[in-house]
Amino acid sequence: MASYAKPRFWAGLAIVCAAALACSGLGRAEEQAPAVIGSFPVASAARLAGDTQLTRFVLDLDKPIQFRAFALPDPDRVVIDIPEVNFRLPTGTGANGRGLIKAFRYGLVMPGASRIVMDLAGPARIANSSMLQGANGQPPRLVLELEQVDRATFMQAVSPDAHPENHQAANAVADAGPTVAVPETVPATKPATSDSRPVVVIDPGHGGVDNGTQSGDEAEKSLVLAFALTLRNRLEQDGKYRVVMTRADDTFIPLNDRVKIARSQSAALFVSIHADALPKHEGDAQGATIYTVSDKATDAEAAQLAETENRADAIGGVDLSDEPTDVADILIDLAQRETRTFSNRFARLLMNEMKTVTRMHKHPLKSAGFRVLKAPDVPSVLVELGYVSNKGDLAHLVSESWRERTAAAMAEAIDAFLAKREANAAPAD
Ligand code: ZN
């Protein structure tokens, strides 16, 4: 791994990882390119039938779609990954369960990919799954049948080896019986695209039930979203990159899912946007700080901040035991070391650009154990734009012209970083 060109191994790894996607972050991300809005399949109704032995889920569509279904434990769920679908379901759909399904949620997980998540009332396996063509006045339907099983059987079915992404294992499962549907399709979490531009993932911190830090009426989640959208628009204007937002509205996204979005998109860069606050008794602090990941925090304040930011999942009710451990640690370690070098390089470029347009913290480059920066193969930084507890910083954060200026400086740094990366990337082996 002398060059930064990703070996095939890492591409495979990203796909395996996508199988373990935790799904509690589903929201109402309604961001769609207006030009293509009409071309997405439309889901018009969803219903449940059956009992605790056998429960059937039916989704009515206006055209057949490809899908991929699999189960996840702790909490027990069944997930259906589908291409981007325009959900026009009546309000309250999925709130009430039936049989083996306690409730279900649905939504866009990223451009090009939607997902349905069912919370299970008990261990179940996917006994049948099919896409029925429309006939006899019935619309095309996605049908999934869940069958009650004991916990041991359930756990066996959800072991990493049984994930449909692992082709051999998936075939083995298919041979043993109609357990898991393995449609011939690109995994939905990585939308098929002919767009070869580098992907920049912008990650506005917090969202939904998690406000982040707060000063008077100003919640961190809203301030950082406003900034992130400015940065997105800026980058899209230039057109050099494909920009993916981990959230583009007030939605809660678990930390792990943010990392997974970056990995599943094979992102060239991940930029998390936050704003800090200092408790009154700790005096005043001001200016922007750029963080990279490290097992050892640079100082006590950095360690404390990482701890606070990592608490987001607990606030959103995400079970931390859900962490996938699907990659050998030593391999993560190797890639991580290389990736950290790139992250540090970008952090320095970013500081040099940002300091020309805004004030920086007296120690502007720091590191600590931020969970959101832990993708082993995506250079990642977390920017604390300033302190909402500081009057001057807060005035910046709510100012549109400051946002424009600072986003432009960030775009410069992203250009410098990715221009060099592209130039250095050797052809794939
Ligand atoms: Zn934050």
Side-chain angles (χ1 to χ4, degrees):
M1 277 191 269
S3 82
Y4 188 63
K6 281 191 185 73
R8 206 162 297 123
F9 168 78
W10 285 112
L13 199 61
I15 291 169
V16 171
C17 247
L21 265 171
C23 320
S24 16
L26 283 183
R28 308 142 286 109
E30 276 140 9
E31 227 203 347
Q32 292 168 337
V36 285
I37 206 163
S39 66
F40 293 121
V42 174
S44 53
R47 59 195 168 273
L48 299 173
D51 52 31
T52 52
Q53 299 297 310
L54 190 78
T55 308
R56 182 178 298 130
F57 168 85
V58 182
L59 183 69
D60 290 346
L61 293 143
D62 66 341
K63 56 182 119 170
I65 56 172
Q66 293 188 309
F67 69 97
R68 193 177 53 121
F70 54 94
L72 288 173
D74 304 316
D76 301 343
R77 286 154 292 167
V78 163
V79 174
I80 311 174
D81 275 339
I82 51 180
E84 184 161 346
V85 158
N86 191 355
F87 287 101
R88 288 195 199 138
L89 305 181
T91 319
T93 298
N96 298 316
R98 179 174 181 147
L100 291 159
I101 298 170
K102 256 199 299 204
F104 64 89
R105 297 159 290 183
Y106 49 87
L108 188 69
V109 280
M110 64 184 69
S114 296
R115 170 172 281 189
I116 301 161
V117 182
M118 303 166 180
D119 296 321
L120 297 180
R125 72 174 192 122
I126 301 163
N128 261 309
S129 62
S130 51
M131 184 68 230
L132 305 177
Q133 304 291 328
N136 305 325
Q138 292 265 33
R141 280 151 293 153
L142 192 166
V143 180
L144 206 72
E145 281 181 342
L146 303 184
E147 181 183 61
Q148 186 183 45
V149 290
D150 58 33
R151 178 140 299 272
T153 310
F154 177 74
M155 291 312 287
Q156 212 174 358
V158 299
S159 78
D161 288 346
H163 280 157
E165 287 74 13
N166 184 330
H167 229 241
Q168 265 183 333
N171 288 338
V173 171
D175 290 344
T179 313
V180 185
V182 192
E184 289 303 318
T185 172
V186 181
T189 43
K190 184 168 183 182
T193 170
S194 54
D195 192 341
S196 62
R197 293 176 297 171
V199 174
V200 175
V201 174
I202 305 175
D203 173 50
H206 314 280
V209 291
D210 173 19
N211 286 339
T213 191
Q214 187 100 24
S215 174
D217 293 339
E218 302 292 346
E220 178 186 356
K221 66 172 182 179
S222 313
L223 295 170
V224 299
L225 178 60
F227 184 87
L229 291 171
T230 306
L231 179 59
R232 177 194 67 181
N233 294 345
R234 174 80 203 193
L235 291 173
E236 282 185 344
Q237 247 169 39
D238 296 343
K240 283 182 252 180
Y241 317 112
R242 191 156 67 81
V243 183
V244 174
M245 304 283 288
T246 55
R247 69 178 179 99
D249 61 11
D250 187 18
T251 303
F252 175 78
I253 312 281
L255 297 173
N256 243 11
D257 285 8
R258 298 170 190 258
V259 176
K260 281 167 191 154
I261 288 170
R263 301 198 66 206
S264 66
Q265 297 279 332
S266 302
L269 189 62
F270 176 89
V271 183
S272 191
I273 307 287
H274 288 256
D276 204 353
L278 213 56
K280 276 230 159 55
H281 64 269
E282 286 180 27
D284 200 10
Q286 62 177 46
T289 312
I290 300 159
Y291 286 87
T292 49
V293 76
S294 168
D295 304 328
K296 257 200 205 126
T298 31
D299 55 44
E301 199 200 332
Q304 169 70 45
L305 179 71
E307 203 181 299
T308 310
E309 298 290 13
N310 289 347
R311 226 174 279 152
D313 278 0
I315 294 165
V318 175
D319 183 0
L320 294 181
S321 63
D322 206 20
E323 293 280 303
T325 50
D326 51 3
V327 188
D329 283 351
I330 184 152
L331 294 174
I332 285 197
D333 198 54
L334 274 174
Q336 234 158 21
R337 242 178 285 166
E338 192 188 44
T339 302
R340 284 179 191 186
T341 307
F342 283 99
S343 302
N344 291 333
R345 181 181 298 167
F346 177 63
R348 281 193 302 276
L349 284 167
L350 190 54
M351 178 190 68
N352 286 331
E353 290 296 338
M354 283 182 74
K355 75 180 181 195
T356 64
V357 295
T358 188
R359 57 183 183 187
M360 305 297 290
H361 188 267
K362 58 180 190 276
H363 304 295
L365 289 181
K366 291 189 185 183
S367 53
F370 293 94
R371 290 204 15 240
V372 80
L373 299 181
K374 288 193 171 171
D377 46 0
V378 182
S380 305
V381 303
L382 183 148
V383 182
E384 296 281 349
L385 293 170
Y387 290 80
V388 297
S389 49
N390 176 274
K391 257 194 195 148
D393 278 7
L394 186 58
H396 280 159
L397 287 164
V398 298
S399 148
E400 201 181 318
S401 70
W402 180 86
R403 287 199 293 263
E404 292 286 352
R405 212 163 56 231
T406 308
M410 280 195 182
E412 289 284 334
I414 292 170
D415 279 351
F417 176 74
L418 291 181
K420 183 154 189 202
R421 196 210 75 139
E422 293 288 290
N424 285 353
D429 53 345

